[in-house]
Amino acid sequence: MTTVNTPLIALRGIRKSYGGGGHGAPATDVLRGVSLEIHAGEFVAIVGASGSGKSTLMNILGCLDRPSSGQYLFDGRDVSAFDADALAWLRREAFGFVFQGYHLVSSETARENVEIPALYAGTPEAERRARATSLLERLGMGARLDHKPSQLSGGQQQRVAIARALMNGGRIVLADEPTGALDSASGAEVMALLRELASQGHTVILITHDREIAVQAPRVIEVKDGMVTSDGGPAERVGSAPFVRTHGAHGQASAIADLREAMRAAWRVMWGNRFRTSLTLLGIVIGVASVIVMLAVGNGSQQKVMEDMETFGSRTMFVAANPVSSRERGAPLTLDDVRVIADTPNVEAVAPYIEDRVVVQRGSVDHNTEGGGTTLEFSKTLRWPVIEGAMFDEVDERQVAKVAVIGQTVRKRLFADGSNPVGQDILVDKVPFQVIGVLAAKGSSGGEDQDDRVVVPLSSAISRLYGHPNPTWIAVQIQDTDRASQTAGQIEARLAVQRRSRDVRIWNQAEAIRVQMATAQTMTVMLGLIAAVSLVVGGIGVMNVMLMTVRERTREIGIRMATGARQRDILRQFMAEAMLVTSVGGGIGLLLGLVTVLGLKLFGVPVLFSTAACALAFSFSVLTGLIFGFMPARNAARLDPVVALTGE
């Protein structure tokens, strides 16, 4: 357990070397066995010429760098046992840095720069804002709270840096050439502030090459060629207690607060680089919009194809007689064949159909059309409803009733006067029939007008029109389309036994539709994948920009690390920026895609809007930011603090 006599900082034989390590170049010793002790409350100046090793010593003292050998004890604890997060905590809770180059984050205001250490300490927003304001006002910066570094003079920026050093208590203020970039008046003000802090009990360690500055400290340590050549000895301390560990005083910031702050900083960086951000967004916008539009067009085309193919039912197949050879006529289909088909597994309904050309007449108008005789299962099997009147029923079939249902084309020809055809009589091949219903429009299929027909009960067609009971073809509705090919094979086998010959052909429309649907789905997926490629390209663009951003903001990363940011804080910051870019791009792309789909719909292009496709495209854009932003963010988080601080 430490006591008041335990040095706050104790260095034992600290050495620091650069180079060597098998690269061919000899190692350079910057520090060569430095040993010293600094107690809480001291005001110490470390002086030395350029290249003497004093800045390297400051980096080690402030836990920005690690020694090559030797022992560093902080408040009695060996710092070499600290991991990266523990070192970040120590920098955050114990040290406050004042640099010659100020090292303020250019995108943040004076107050926001001062708040950074408290942000990483998890201090509530209201509390850290109040403390930052109080510190700046105390240092005469109350009128400059919302000014950015570029709007401040050198002396004002250094005051902001001092306020930042005191934000978390500033128990140890490490000042590296704090007056080097200032005029004499501003330099005198900064030194007066440091003396005031020392008088209030802060431990102040001043690094300088100027002996006139150094002698203002009660204790002066001179460094030359990486060694301590003189030390004024422990100075009188102003009633300061040993360092008290405050780790966890505020706890870590909540995940929501962390994310909100990361997003705020990310938005500010994006807005500060609007042109580059816009170019980065473009790839994501195009990618998301392409996915939405491509899938909408693909799904719309697929739906249109399916609607066209389902004219006679998606679960329907047709059986017709097929001559054995060109010299043999072949036996016609029979009603016994219909019964055999109806007894086949997976068959739900069967509708035999006798057709031939007939002439229909009404008054002085006659029309050559397709005549058909069928059963009650016609509408169900072919999915062809009656939209006016009714379909004939079992009674009509039994009584060989002279009733008919007409198609839309026949209605237009015979009832051009606009009268209601239901209940009126027409002649079919000079046989009078009463119109009891009008079929729904089907349109054309295979170049043939499906609506140009008149349909009568099968018994009536046999007895009154054609004089034979042989169906021209038989419509078959199945239950399970996945078994369509199997069912067709069973029908063919059963009819071969029934007819003693394999002389029928089966048009398996259900299987054709299934294959067509699978093909259309494959095409839709392919379109989606093609569009997704643009998202991947956009993601690569995000990664390139983020790598460039990390390189440009290396010093900012170092500043954040020096003020207590952990690796995960830096990782979160840059991941937030990448995901914000892709989220904004995804949102704009989503809107653009929707507008494009609506425009295509207005021009008659078959499109099918999909909420799932929109969600997928947007989610994929965010995922793109997560994936392609990770490597740059990880690179930023792994930067060495001292290397980052000296970066350009």
Side-chain angles (χ1 to χ4, degrees):
M1 181 175 180
T2 59
T3 67
V4 293
N5 295 320
T6 302
L8 184 59
I9 293 174
L11 303 184
R12 305 280 189 259
I14 294 295
R15 305 183 72 88
K16 181 66 179 180
S17 301
Y18 294 101
H23 296 288
T28 302
D29 293 327
V30 180
L31 296 180
R32 297 185 288 177
V34 173
S35 298
L36 58 85
E37 293 182 354
I38 299 175
H39 288 263
E42 281 195 277
F43 184 2
V44 181
I46 299 176
V47 65
S50 295
S52 62
K54 63 183 186 303
S55 293
T56 301
L57 180 58
M58 186 213 74
N59 290 332
I60 291 175
L61 288 171
C63 298
L64 295 172
D65 201 0
R66 291 180 181 268
S68 301
S69 63
Q71 188 178 41
Y72 177 9
L73 299 177
F74 183 87
D75 197 27
R77 300 172 65 190
D78 191 345
V79 173
S80 65
F82 287 20
D83 61 14
D85 280 356
L87 290 174
W89 165 77
L90 193 57
R91 291 192 295 268
R92 183 171 63 246
E93 297 292 339
F95 294 102
F97 295 90
V98 181
F99 299 99
Q100 176 181 357
Y102 322 128
H103 284 348
L104 302 178
V105 179
S106 60
S107 61
E108 306 286 303
T109 64
R111 179 168 53 196
E112 289 165 346
N113 267 282
V114 174
E115 289 182 31
I116 290 175
L119 170 67
Y120 296 126
T123 306
E125 182 179 359
E127 182 179 338
R128 68 172 185 261
R129 178 168 289 235
R131 177 163 174 75
T133 301
S134 174
L135 285 169
L136 287 170
E137 289 176 345
R138 172 182 162 192
L139 296 176
M141 293 292 293
R144 298 285 190 270
L145 297 178
D146 297 321
H147 285 59
K148 292 187 177 180
S150 60
Q151 300 170 307
L152 302 175
S153 67
Q156 290 171 335
Q157 290 187 63
Q158 200 62 289
R159 287 173 182 268
V160 173
I162 292 173
R164 181 181 63 193
L166 300 176
M167 185 64 190
N168 285 351
R171 296 164 182 80
I172 306 170
V173 177
L174 271 170
D176 182 19
E177 300 282 6
T179 63
L182 303 177
D183 57 51
S184 56
S186 297
E189 290 180 1
V190 168
M191 286 305 301
L193 284 172
L194 293 177
R195 287 195 299 272
E196 180 183 346
L197 293 174
S199 69
Q200 294 171 355
H202 295 273
T203 302
V204 179
I205 303 175
L206 172 65
I207 311 296
T208 182
H209 70 281
D210 191 337
R211 293 183 179 277
E212 293 183 5
I213 296 294
V215 296
Q216 298 183 47
R219 177 184 176 188
V220 178
I221 299 173
E222 185 169 355
V223 177
K224 184 177 181 181
D225 295 332
M227 296 183 292
V228 174
T229 57
S230 67
D231 185 349
E236 181 179 352
R237 288 168 275 157
V238 184
S240 178
F243 174 69
V244 178
R245 297 176 183 84
T246 59
H247 183 44
H250 292 294
Q252 296 179 3
S254 69
I256 295 178
D258 278 348
L259 183 59
R260 184 174 65 247
E261 181 60 30
M263 285 297 181
R264 182 199 66 79
W267 177 258
R268 184 164 291 179
V269 170
M270 284 176 56
W271 187 252
N273 297 277
R274 291 185 290 277
F275 181 72
R276 186 172 69 188
T277 300
S278 299
L279 293 178
T280 307
L281 287 176
L282 191 59
I284 302 298
V285 170
I286 293 174
V288 172
S290 297
V291 169
I292 292 172
V293 173
M294 289 289 195
L295 289 179
V297 171
N299 289 331
S301 300
Q302 179 180 334
Q303 184 186 52
K304 183 67 167 58
V305 169
M306 292 305 104
E307 288 176 352
D308 290 345
M309 292 195 68
E310 287 182 2
T311 300
F312 288 106
S314 60
R315 294 185 291 130
T316 304
M317 58 180 64
F318 298 90
V319 180
N322 190 36
V324 177
S325 69
S326 59
R327 295 187 298 273
E328 297 183 24
R329 183 180 180 87
L333 293 174
T334 67
L335 296 181
D336 289 334
D337 296 336
V338 175
R339 286 187 283 273
V340 168
I341 295 172
D343 291 336
T344 304
N346 196 40
V347 171
E348 184 174 313
V350 179
Y353 194 89
I354 304 175
E355 68 178 359
D356 203 348
R357 302 300 297 181
V358 295
V359 175
V360 293
Q361 292 178 284
R362 175 179 177 252
S364 60
V365 179
D366 58 356
H367 174 62
N368 190 297
T369 187
E370 189 74 48
T374 187
T375 63
L376 310 179
E377 301 292 341
F378 173 83
S379 290
K380 177 182 178 181
T381 307
L382 276 71
R383 295 182 60 186
W384 201 341
V386 172
I387 59 171
E388 291 183 50
M391 191 67 177
F392 41 80
D393 56 22
E394 292 182 1
V395 175
D396 296 325
E397 177 69 26
R398 276 198 314 269
Q399 295 180 353
V400 196
K402 292 187 288 185
V403 293
V405 176
I406 62 175
Q408 293 290 335
T409 301
V410 174
R411 174 183 180 169
K412 291 175 183 177
R413 295 293 178 88
L414 299 187
F415 299 91
D417 57 1
S419 60
N420 186 356
V422 177
Q424 299 198 44
D425 292 332
I426 61 173
L427 295 178
V428 180
D429 276 355
K430 300 183 180 181
V431 178
F433 281 82
Q434 183 183 44
V435 178
I436 61 171
V438 180
L439 292 168
K442 279 284 186 177
S444 296
S445 176
E448 182 180 351
D449 184 3
Q450 300 299 321
D451 298 318
D452 191 5
R453 70 179 60 241
V454 57
V455 181
V456 303
L458 182 65
S459 59
S460 300
I462 294 171
S463 301
R464 302 185 186 277
L465 296 179
Y466 304 127
H468 66 82
N470 304 117
T472 307
W473 46 262
I474 303 170
V476 181
Q477 186 180 60
I478 62 175
Q479 296 175 341
D480 184 1
T481 56
D482 291 335
R483 295 164 55 196
S485 295
Q486 177 185 353
T487 303
Q490 290 177 332
I491 291 173
E492 189 173 7
R494 285 172 174 244
L495 289 179
V497 174
Q498 163 72 17
R499 299 167 60 84
R500 295 187 177 86
S501 175
R502 289 186 173 272
D503 60 350
V504 297
R505 67 178 184 275
I506 299 176
W507 180 35
N508 193 346
Q509 179 167 283
E511 178 65 14
I513 290 178
R514 189 188 67 78
V515 172
Q516 183 68 27
M517 184 174 293
T519 303
Q521 288 173 344
T522 301
M523 290 297 295
T524 300
V525 171
M526 186 180 71
L527 288 174
L529 290 176
I530 292 172
V533 169
S534 59
L535 259 181
V536 174
V537 173
I540 294 172
V542 170
M543 181 172 66
N544 289 336
V545 170
M546 291 303 299
L547 287 171
M548 186 188 307
T549 299
V550 170
R551 191 176 301 114
E552 290 176 350
R553 295 166 59 194
T554 298
R555 182 170 293 178
E556 177 191 332
I557 296 168
I559 294 170
R560 292 184 180 276
M561 287 181 167
T563 53
R566 297 153 295 189
Q567 288 186 347
R568 63 177 174 271
D569 294 321
I570 302 299
L571 181 68
R572 182 187 301 115
Q573 175 65 49
F574 283 87
M575 286 296 293
E577 291 182 19
M579 292 183 68
L580 184 60
V581 168
T582 52
S583 296
V584 172
I588 297 174
L590 187 63
L591 181 62
L592 179 62
L594 293 176
V595 171
T596 304
V597 169
L598 289 175
L600 291 174
K601 191 171 184 179
L602 290 176
F603 281 99
V605 177
V607 292
L608 181 61
F609 174 76
S610 171
T611 304
C614 292
L616 178 66
F618 182 79
S619 300
F620 194 72
S621 72
V622 176
L623 184 63
T624 298
L626 185 66
I627 294 173
F628 288 98
F630 178 74
M631 187 177 76
R634 185 186 60 178
N635 291 347
R638 289 183 174 181
L639 284 174
D640 192 310
V642 69
V643 173
L645 276 171
T646 57
E648 296 296 335

